[in-house]
């Protein structure tokens, strides 16, 4: 697998974090697991999930889905592979950097899904991943991303600022990524809808490939 230099640190981080990721993340996952069915319920066809992690989304895909799940970290993929056994759809897990996707064919996918990937990816490489999403989606193919942002509410923001150093150290995640702007500046991805799942923090970005 080719890894972008900017992602080497994340790669190393997640190979360690994988061992305790599910336990550490559980307090948040208790919230996320209420959202995942609705995020994935209408997804059909050939689907690329980028940053599949420990496979928290896998059991919510419709049985007809043909899923390719990619992740930087082989240790995260090992966990996903175990979780994938209770999924209903066909799953192929591949160790790949979303900013390269060398082994992933162009124009193949009906959907790209990513939950909490872009908040983790360094700003410098986000446009590269977005270019890859454009390349691998069929014309008219759709995408749905779930990310987290700093709130405009000072009380919530203060709370986020308190946990931000921990969140960045352990997950590489930040609340100030500019994913929506990168998509707006992309050549072919068009945003059709955005909405928050909780407060003005958990943002869903949906759209289609305009090619
Ligand atoms: C915060 S976890 C989210 C996992 C999962 N999507 C979820 O919702 O629970 C972020 C995942 O993205 C992966 N990741 C980070 N940068 C990546 C990249 N450039 N290409 C592929 N995976 C990446 C990490 O290894 C990690 O498994």
């Amino acid at each position: 697998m080719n890894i972008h230099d900017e992602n080497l640190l994340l790669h190393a981080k997640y190979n360690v974090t994988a061992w305790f990721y599910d336990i550490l993340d559980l307090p948040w996952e208790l919230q996320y697991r209420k959202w995942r069915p609705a995020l994935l319920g209408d997804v059909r066809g050939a689907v690329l999930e980028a940053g599949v992690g420990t496979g928290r989304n896998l059991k919510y895909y419709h049985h007809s889905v043909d899923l390719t799940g990619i992740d930087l970290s082989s240790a995260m993929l090992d966990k996903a592979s175990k979780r994938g056994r209770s999924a209903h759809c066909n799953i192929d897990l591949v160790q790949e950097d979303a900013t390269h996707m060398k082994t992933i064919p162009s124009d193949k996918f009906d959907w790209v899904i990513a939950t909490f990937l872009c908040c983790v990816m360094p700003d410098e490489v986000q446009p590269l991943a977005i270019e890859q999403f454009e390349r691998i989606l069929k014309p008219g193919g759709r995408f749905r991303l779930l990310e987290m942002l700093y709130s405009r509410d000072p009380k919530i923001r203060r709370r986020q600022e308190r946990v931000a150093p921990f969140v960045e150290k352990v997950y590489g995640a930040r609340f100030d990524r500019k994913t929506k702007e990168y998509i707006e500046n992309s050549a072919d991805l068009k945003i059709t809808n955005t909405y928050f799942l909780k407060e003005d923090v958990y943002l869903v970005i949906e759209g289609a490939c305009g090619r």
Side-chain angles (χ1 to χ4, degrees):
M1 176 189 56
N2 288 310
I3 301 182
H4 195 289
D5 287 351
E6 289 287 341
N7 291 328
L8 288 172
L9 187 63
L10 265 182
H11 174 247
K13 192 186 287 283
Y14 270 96
N15 275 343
V16 175
T17 304
W19 299 108
F20 47 88
Y21 182 91
D22 280 339
I23 291 172
L24 201 65
D25 209 46
L26 191 60
W28 289 283
E29 183 58 31
L30 294 175
Q31 172 78 78
Y32 304 159
R33 69 174 49 155
K34 295 182 188 143
W35 300 338
R36 296 187 193 273
L39 283 171
L40 303 167
D42 63 339
V43 171
R44 297 286 186 277
V47 181
L48 185 292
E49 183 177 335
V52 69
T54 61
R56 289 290 199 187
N57 286 330
L58 296 180
K59 69 176 175 190
Y60 301 110
Y61 286 104
H62 189 262
H63 62 81
S64 65
V65 161
D66 199 1
L67 183 82
T68 303
I70 65 164
D71 203 282
L72 267 186
S73 157
S74 56
M76 292 295 272
L77 286 170
D78 284 348
K79 307 266 173 193
S81 171
K82 291 197 186 86
R83 196 158 269 136
R85 287 182 205 143
S86 57
H88 311 289
C89 67
N90 189 38
I91 299 173
D92 185 22
L93 296 174
V94 185
Q95 191 182 7
E96 261 292 1
D97 183 339
T99 65
H100 284 302
M101 296 208 208
K102 290 283 182 228
T103 59
I104 309 292
S106 302
D107 295 340
K108 177 174 174 187
F109 292 94
D110 300 290
W111 278 91
V112 166
I113 298 291
T115 55
F116 306 114
L117 169 68
C118 296
C119 53
V120 161
M121 266 196 302
D123 284 293
E124 296 78 358
V125 298
Q126 287 214 27
L128 300 179
I130 288 163
E131 276 173 26
Q132 291 304 312
F133 295 168
E134 291 175 319
R135 179 182 68 77
I136 65 167
L137 276 171
K138 294 175 182 169
R142 295 166 67 186
F143 65 90
R144 183 172 290 144
L145 314 181
L146 170 59
E147 299 303 332
M148 57 184 195
L149 295 174
Y150 271 125
S151 172
R152 293 197 178 140
D153 177 331
K155 215 168 113 196
I156 299 172
R157 175 143 183 154
R158 273 199 299 280
R159 209 170 63 214
Q160 291 176 306
E161 282 172 346
R162 275 200 297 277
V163 297
F166 168 81
V167 168
E168 183 162 12
K169 186 157 185 59
V170 177
Y171 302 102
R174 296 175 58 109
F175 297 99
D176 61 357
R177 305 283 190 211
K178 299 186 171 51
T179 306
K180 185 163 162 273
E181 283 91 318
Y182 295 131
I183 297 172
E184 283 164 349
N185 292 332
S186 72
D188 293 323
L189 295 190
K190 307 290 172 229
I191 295 174
T192 53
N193 192 20
T194 59
Y195 53 94
F196 287 105
L197 292 176
K198 187 180 175 194
E199 295 153 345
D200 56 345
V201 172
Y202 291 99
L203 176 68
V204 179
I205 309 172
E206 297 179 336
C209 182
R211 235 178 329 109

